[in-house]
Structures are given as structure tokens and as C-alpha cells.
PDB file of all heavy atoms in Angstrom:
ATOM      1  N   CYS A 125      91.399 101.578 122.228  1.00  0.00           N
ATOM      2  CA  CYS A 125      91.303 100.551 121.186  1.00  0.00           C
ATOM      3  C   CYS A 125      92.681  99.929 120.927  1.00  0.00           C
ATOM      4  O   CYS A 125      93.732 100.585 121.005  1.00  0.00           O
ATOM      5  CB  CYS A 125      90.789 101.178 119.889  1.00  0.00           C
ATOM      6  SG  CYS A 125      89.150 101.881 120.013  1.00  0.00           S
ATOM      7  N   GLN A 126      92.648  98.648 120.610  1.00  0.00           N
ATOM      8  CA  GLN A 126      93.869  97.935 120.340  1.00  0.00           C
ATOM      9  C   GLN A 126      94.513  98.402 119.004  1.00  0.00           C
ATOM     10  O   GLN A 126      93.807  98.570 118.002  1.00  0.00           O
ATOM     11  CB  GLN A 126      93.604  96.412 120.224  1.00  0.00           C
ATOM     12  CG  GLN A 126      93.143  95.760 121.490  1.00  0.00           C
ATOM     13  CD  GLN A 126      92.853  94.301 121.290  1.00  0.00           C
ATOM     14  OE1 GLN A 126      93.089  93.706 120.214  1.00  0.00           O
ATOM     15  NE2 GLN A 126      92.325  93.647 122.327  1.00  0.00           N
ATOM     16  N   PHE A 127      95.800  98.637 119.066  1.00  0.00           N
ATOM     17  CA  PHE A 127      96.597  98.814 117.836  1.00  0.00           C
ATOM     18  C   PHE A 127      97.761  97.851 117.968  1.00  0.00           C
ATOM     19  O   PHE A 127      98.749  98.146 118.633  1.00  0.00           O
ATOM     20  CB  PHE A 127      97.088 100.229 117.620  1.00  0.00           C
ATOM     21  CG  PHE A 127      97.675 100.465 116.254  1.00  0.00           C
ATOM     22  CD1 PHE A 127      96.921 101.055 115.221  1.00  0.00           C
ATOM     23  CD2 PHE A 127      98.947 100.012 115.943  1.00  0.00           C
ATOM     24  CE1 PHE A 127      97.457 101.231 113.964  1.00  0.00           C
ATOM     25  CE2 PHE A 127      99.478 100.182 114.664  1.00  0.00           C
ATOM     26  CZ  PHE A 127      98.737 100.775 113.688  1.00  0.00           C
ATOM     27  N   LYS A 128      97.646  96.723 117.312  1.00  0.00           N
ATOM     28  CA  LYS A 128      98.686  95.676 117.410  1.00  0.00           C
ATOM     29  C   LYS A 128      99.739  95.910 116.327  1.00  0.00           C
ATOM     30  O   LYS A 128      99.454  96.303 115.222  1.00  0.00           O
ATOM     31  CB  LYS A 128      98.022  94.298 117.192  1.00  0.00           C
ATOM     32  CG  LYS A 128      96.975  93.956 118.216  1.00  0.00           C
ATOM     33  CD  LYS A 128      96.348  92.595 117.880  1.00  0.00           C
ATOM     34  CE  LYS A 128      95.290  92.199 118.883  1.00  0.00           C
ATOM     35  NZ  LYS A 128      94.679  90.893 118.565  1.00  0.00           N
ATOM     36  N   ARG A 129     100.984  95.645 116.735  1.00  0.00           N
ATOM     37  CA  ARG A 129     102.084  95.827 115.787  1.00  0.00           C
ATOM     38  C   ARG A 129     101.945  94.884 114.573  1.00  0.00           C
ATOM     39  O   ARG A 129     102.475  95.242 113.473  1.00  0.00           O
ATOM     40  CB  ARG A 129     103.422  95.642 116.453  1.00  0.00           C
ATOM     41  CG  ARG A 129     103.774  94.255 116.923  1.00  0.00           C
ATOM     42  CD  ARG A 129     105.045  94.203 117.728  1.00  0.00           C
ATOM     43  NE  ARG A 129     106.228  94.548 116.970  1.00  0.00           N
ATOM     44  CZ  ARG A 129     107.440  94.706 117.486  1.00  0.00           C
ATOM     45  NH1 ARG A 129     107.615  94.557 118.795  1.00  0.00           N
ATOM     46  NH2 ARG A 129     108.475  95.000 116.733  1.00  0.00           N
ATOM     47  N   SER A 130     101.220  93.800 114.714  1.00  0.00           N
ATOM     48  CA  SER A 130     101.042  92.891 113.571  1.00  0.00           C
ATOM     49  C   SER A 130     100.286  93.565 112.442  1.00  0.00           C
ATOM     50  O   SER A 130     100.370  93.124 111.300  1.00  0.00           O
ATOM     51  CB  SER A 130     100.334  91.618 114.033  1.00  0.00           C
ATOM     52  OG  SER A 130      99.058  91.914 114.596  1.00  0.00           O
ATOM     53  N   LEU A 131      99.522  94.625 112.755  1.00  0.00           N
ATOM     54  CA  LEU A 131      98.830  95.378 111.718  1.00  0.00           C
ATOM     55  C   LEU A 131      99.800  96.026 110.735  1.00  0.00           C
ATOM     56  O   LEU A 131      99.413  96.344 109.624  1.00  0.00           O
ATOM     57  CB  LEU A 131      97.945  96.465 112.355  1.00  0.00           C
ATOM     58  CG  LEU A 131      96.741  96.023 113.179  1.00  0.00           C
ATOM     59  CD1 LEU A 131      96.093  97.231 113.877  1.00  0.00           C
ATOM     60  CD2 LEU A 131      95.722  95.312 112.283  1.00  0.00           C
ATOM     61  N   LEU A 132     101.009  96.204 111.174  1.00  0.00           N
ATOM     62  CA  LEU A 132     102.040  96.889 110.344  1.00  0.00           C
ATOM     63  C   LEU A 132     102.660  95.915 109.338  1.00  0.00           C
ATOM     64  O   LEU A 132     103.550  96.293 108.590  1.00  0.00           O
ATOM     65  CB  LEU A 132     103.099  97.525 111.215  1.00  0.00           C
ATOM     66  CG  LEU A 132     102.574  98.581 112.217  1.00  0.00           C
ATOM     67  CD1 LEU A 132     103.705  99.053 113.107  1.00  0.00           C
ATOM     68  CD2 LEU A 132     101.929  99.728 111.513  1.00  0.00           C
ATOM     69  N   GLN A 133     102.252  94.661 109.417  1.00  0.00           N
ATOM     70  CA  GLN A 133     102.649  93.631 108.462  1.00  0.00           C
ATOM     71  C   GLN A 133     104.168  93.571 108.171  1.00  0.00           C
ATOM     72  O   GLN A 133     104.940  93.251 109.077  1.00  0.00           O
ATOM     73  CB  GLN A 133     101.871  93.820 107.123  1.00  0.00           C
ATOM     74  CG  GLN A 133     100.372  93.606 107.351  1.00  0.00           C
ATOM     75  CD  GLN A 133      99.567  93.933 106.125  1.00  0.00           C
ATOM     76  OE1 GLN A 133      98.976  94.981 106.030  1.00  0.00           O
ATOM     77  NE2 GLN A 133      99.508  93.001 105.147  1.00  0.00           N
ATOM     78  N   ASN A 134     104.627  93.916 106.995  1.00  0.00           N
ATOM     79  CA  ASN A 134     106.063  93.844 106.668  1.00  0.00           C
ATOM     80  C   ASN A 134     106.907  94.815 107.480  1.00  0.00           C
ATOM     81  O   ASN A 134     108.116  94.690 107.474  1.00  0.00           O
ATOM     82  CB  ASN A 134     106.290  94.079 105.169  1.00  0.00           C
ATOM     83  CG  ASN A 134     105.710  92.983 104.340  1.00  0.00           C
ATOM     84  OD1 ASN A 134     105.453  91.868 104.835  1.00  0.00           O
ATOM     85  ND2 ASN A 134     105.525  93.208 103.056  1.00  0.00           N
ATOM     86  N   CYS A 135     106.252  95.760 108.132  1.00  0.00           N
ATOM     87  CA  CYS A 135     106.987  96.734 108.931  1.00  0.00           C
ATOM     88  C   CYS A 135     106.772  96.535 110.437  1.00  0.00           C
ATOM     89  O   CYS A 135     107.011  97.403 111.230  1.00  0.00           O
ATOM     90  CB  CYS A 135     106.568  98.168 108.553  1.00  0.00           C
ATOM     91  SG  CYS A 135     107.247  98.708 106.966  1.00  0.00           S
ATOM     92  N   SER A 136     106.271  95.336 110.801  1.00  0.00           N
ATOM     93  CA  SER A 136     106.004  95.053 112.212  1.00  0.00           C
ATOM     94  C   SER A 136     107.241  94.622 112.976  1.00  0.00           C
ATOM     95  O   SER A 136     107.277  94.660 114.206  1.00  0.00           O
ATOM     96  CB  SER A 136     104.946  93.985 112.328  1.00  0.00           C
ATOM     97  OG  SER A 136     105.437  92.711 111.810  1.00  0.00           O
ATOM     98  N   GLY A 137     108.251  94.157 112.261  1.00  0.00           N
ATOM     99  CA  GLY A 137     109.471  93.664 112.925  1.00  0.00           C
ATOM    100  C   GLY A 137     109.303  92.237 113.423  1.00  0.00           C
ATOM    101  O   GLY A 137     110.154  91.712 114.137  1.00  0.00           O
ATOM    102  N   ILE A 138     108.170  91.579 113.047  1.00  0.00           N
ATOM    103  CA  ILE A 138     107.913  90.252 113.508  1.00  0.00           C
ATOM    104  C   ILE A 138     108.563  89.227 112.613  1.00  0.00           C
ATOM    105  O   ILE A 138     109.384  88.396 113.039  1.00  0.00           O
ATOM    106  CB  ILE A 138     106.394  89.993 113.609  1.00  0.00           C
ATOM    107  CG1 ILE A 138     105.742  90.919 114.657  1.00  0.00           C
ATOM    108  CG2 ILE A 138     106.093  88.518 113.945  1.00  0.00           C
ATOM    109  CD1 ILE A 138     104.241  90.865 114.714  1.00  0.00           C
ATOM    110  N   GLU A 139     108.231  89.271 111.320  1.00  0.00           N
ATOM    111  CA  GLU A 139     108.877  88.319 110.365  1.00  0.00           C
ATOM    112  C   GLU A 139     110.246  88.798 109.941  1.00  0.00           C
ATOM    113  O   GLU A 139     111.148  87.965 109.764  1.00  0.00           O
ATOM    114  CB  GLU A 139     107.967  88.175 109.119  1.00  0.00           C
ATOM    115  CG  GLU A 139     106.668  87.429 109.459  1.00  0.00           C
ATOM    116  CD  GLU A 139     105.908  87.083 108.162  1.00  0.00           C
ATOM    117  OE1 GLU A 139     106.452  87.248 107.068  1.00  0.00           O
ATOM    118  OE2 GLU A 139     104.757  86.610 108.310  1.00  0.00           O
ATOM    119  N   ASP A 140     110.409  90.067 109.789  1.00  0.00           N
ATOM    120  CA  ASP A 140     111.725  90.638 109.449  1.00  0.00           C
ATOM    121  C   ASP A 140     112.147  91.551 110.629  1.00  0.00           C
ATOM    122  O   ASP A 140     111.760  92.714 110.671  1.00  0.00           O
ATOM    123  CB  ASP A 140     111.672  91.440 108.161  1.00  0.00           C
ATOM    124  CG  ASP A 140     113.028  92.097 107.834  1.00  0.00           C
ATOM    125  OD1 ASP A 140     113.996  91.819 108.516  1.00  0.00           O
ATOM    126  OD2 ASP A 140     113.030  92.933 106.892  1.00  0.00           O
ATOM    127  N   PRO A 141     112.928  91.024 111.548  1.00  0.00           N
ATOM    128  CA  PRO A 141     113.315  91.815 112.719  1.00  0.00           C
ATOM    129  C   PRO A 141     114.216  93.003 112.415  1.00  0.00           C
ATOM    130  O   PRO A 141     114.495  93.810 113.304  1.00  0.00           O
ATOM    131  CB  PRO A 141     114.040  90.803 113.617  1.00  0.00           C
ATOM    132  CG  PRO A 141     114.503  89.717 112.675  1.00  0.00           C
ATOM    133  CD  PRO A 141     113.467  89.635 111.588  1.00  0.00           C
ATOM    134  N   THR A 142     114.638  93.160 111.152  1.00  0.00           N
ATOM    135  CA  THR A 142     115.466  94.338 110.788  1.00  0.00           C
ATOM    136  C   THR A 142     114.631  95.405 110.129  1.00  0.00           C
ATOM    137  O   THR A 142     115.187  96.420 109.690  1.00  0.00           O
ATOM    138  CB  THR A 142     116.611  93.939 109.859  1.00  0.00           C
ATOM    139  OG1 THR A 142     116.106  93.622 108.548  1.00  0.00           O
ATOM    140  CG2 THR A 142     117.395  92.761 110.398  1.00  0.00           C
ATOM    141  N   PHE A 143     113.326  95.217 110.028  1.00  0.00           N
ATOM    142  CA  PHE A 143     112.442  96.225 109.430  1.00  0.00           C
ATOM    143  C   PHE A 143     112.875  96.663 108.031  1.00  0.00           C
ATOM    144  O   PHE A 143     112.656  97.796 107.625  1.00  0.00           O
ATOM    145  CB  PHE A 143     112.338  97.485 110.330  1.00  0.00           C
ATOM    146  CG  PHE A 143     111.808  97.202 111.707  1.00  0.00           C
ATOM    147  CD1 PHE A 143     112.646  96.999 112.764  1.00  0.00           C
ATOM    148  CD2 PHE A 143     110.422  97.165 111.937  1.00  0.00           C
ATOM    149  CE1 PHE A 143     112.149  96.749 114.057  1.00  0.00           C
ATOM    150  CE2 PHE A 143     109.908  96.893 113.200  1.00  0.00           C
ATOM    151  CZ  PHE A 143     110.784  96.704 114.268  1.00  0.00           C
ATOM    152  N   GLY A 144     113.487  95.721 107.312  1.00  0.00           N
ATOM    153  CA  GLY A 144     113.892  96.007 105.935  1.00  0.00           C
ATOM    154  C   GLY A 144     115.225  96.708 105.782  1.00  0.00           C
ATOM    155  O   GLY A 144     115.723  96.878 104.664  1.00  0.00           O
ATOM    156  N   TYR A 145     115.813  97.138 106.892  1.00  0.00           N
ATOM    157  CA  TYR A 145     117.086  97.884 106.823  1.00  0.00           C
ATOM    158  C   TYR A 145     118.190  97.029 106.281  1.00  0.00           C
ATOM    159  O   TYR A 145     119.109  97.549 105.583  1.00  0.00           O
ATOM    160  CB  TYR A 145     117.440  98.490 108.174  1.00  0.00           C
ATOM    161  CG  TYR A 145     116.593  99.673 108.541  1.00  0.00           C
ATOM    162  CD1 TYR A 145     115.292  99.561 109.020  1.00  0.00           C
ATOM    163  CD2 TYR A 145     117.080 100.972 108.356  1.00  0.00           C
ATOM    164  CE1 TYR A 145     114.505 100.648 109.342  1.00  0.00           C
ATOM    165  CE2 TYR A 145     116.309 102.094 108.665  1.00  0.00           C
ATOM    166  CZ  TYR A 145     115.032 101.915 109.157  1.00  0.00           C
ATOM    167  OH  TYR A 145     114.228 102.999 109.421  1.00  0.00           O
ATOM    168  N   SER A 146     118.192  95.779 106.576  1.00  0.00           N
ATOM    169  CA  SER A 146     119.258  94.866 106.126  1.00  0.00           C
ATOM    170  C   SER A 146     119.174  94.622 104.615  1.00  0.00           C
ATOM    171  O   SER A 146     120.118  94.101 103.990  1.00  0.00           O
ATOM    172  CB  SER A 146     119.168  93.516 106.851  1.00  0.00           C
ATOM    173  OG  SER A 146     117.975  92.861 106.546  1.00  0.00           O
ATOM    174  N   LYS A 147     118.034  94.995 104.003  1.00  0.00           N
ATOM    175  CA  LYS A 147     117.864  94.827 102.557  1.00  0.00           C
ATOM    176  C   LYS A 147     117.879  96.153 101.790  1.00  0.00           C
ATOM    177  O   LYS A 147     117.658  96.183 100.582  1.00  0.00           O
ATOM    178  CB  LYS A 147     116.518  94.119 102.278  1.00  0.00           C
ATOM    179  CG  LYS A 147     116.348  92.764 102.992  1.00  0.00           C
ATOM    180  CD  LYS A 147     114.926  92.264 102.858  1.00  0.00           C
ATOM    181  CE  LYS A 147     114.723  90.996 103.654  1.00  0.00           C
ATOM    182  NZ  LYS A 147     113.299  90.534 103.586  1.00  0.00           N
ATOM    183  N   GLY A 148     118.073  97.229 102.527  1.00  0.00           N
ATOM    184  CA  GLY A 148     118.056  98.540 101.871  1.00  0.00           C
ATOM    185  C   GLY A 148     116.679  99.010 101.557  1.00  0.00           C
ATOM    186  O   GLY A 148     116.431  99.832 100.685  1.00  0.00           O
ATOM    187  N   GLN A 149     115.673  98.433 102.297  1.00  0.00           N
ATOM    188  CA  GLN A 149     114.262  98.795 102.094  1.00  0.00           C
ATOM    189  C   GLN A 149     113.671  99.180 103.465  1.00  0.00           C
ATOM    190  O   GLN A 149     112.870  98.430 104.012  1.00  0.00           O
ATOM    191  CB  GLN A 149     113.496  97.609 101.494  1.00  0.00           C
ATOM    192  CG  GLN A 149     114.021  97.155 100.142  1.00  0.00           C
ATOM    193  CD  GLN A 149     113.263  95.954  99.585  1.00  0.00           C
ATOM    194  OE1 GLN A 149     112.704  95.152 100.337  1.00  0.00           O
ATOM    195  NE2 GLN A 149     113.252  95.837  98.285  1.00  0.00           N
TER     196      GLN A 149
END
């Protein structure tokens, strides 16, 4: 079954390529 990284939303690294690390989150 497909598990796409886009399912991870804010933790997908797509919109925020730093996965929140640059913001302390």
C-alpha cells in the first residue's frame, strides 16, 4: 500500500524543508 510523505503534512519536508528544526519545533 502507498504511504506518501505528503500524508505527514507539516512534517513531510515538502513545504518546510527543515522539518521545523529551523523554528525550534
Side-chain angles (χ1 to χ4, degrees):
C125 299
Q126 295 177 5
F127 190 99
K128 300 178 180 179
R129 68 187 295 173
S130 58
L131 292 173
L132 301 176
Q133 295 174 260
N134 291 343
C135 287
S136 66
I138 297 173
E139 291 190 9
D140 177 9
T142 71
F143 299 96
Y145 284 79
S146 64
K147 304 172 185 175
Q149 300 178 334

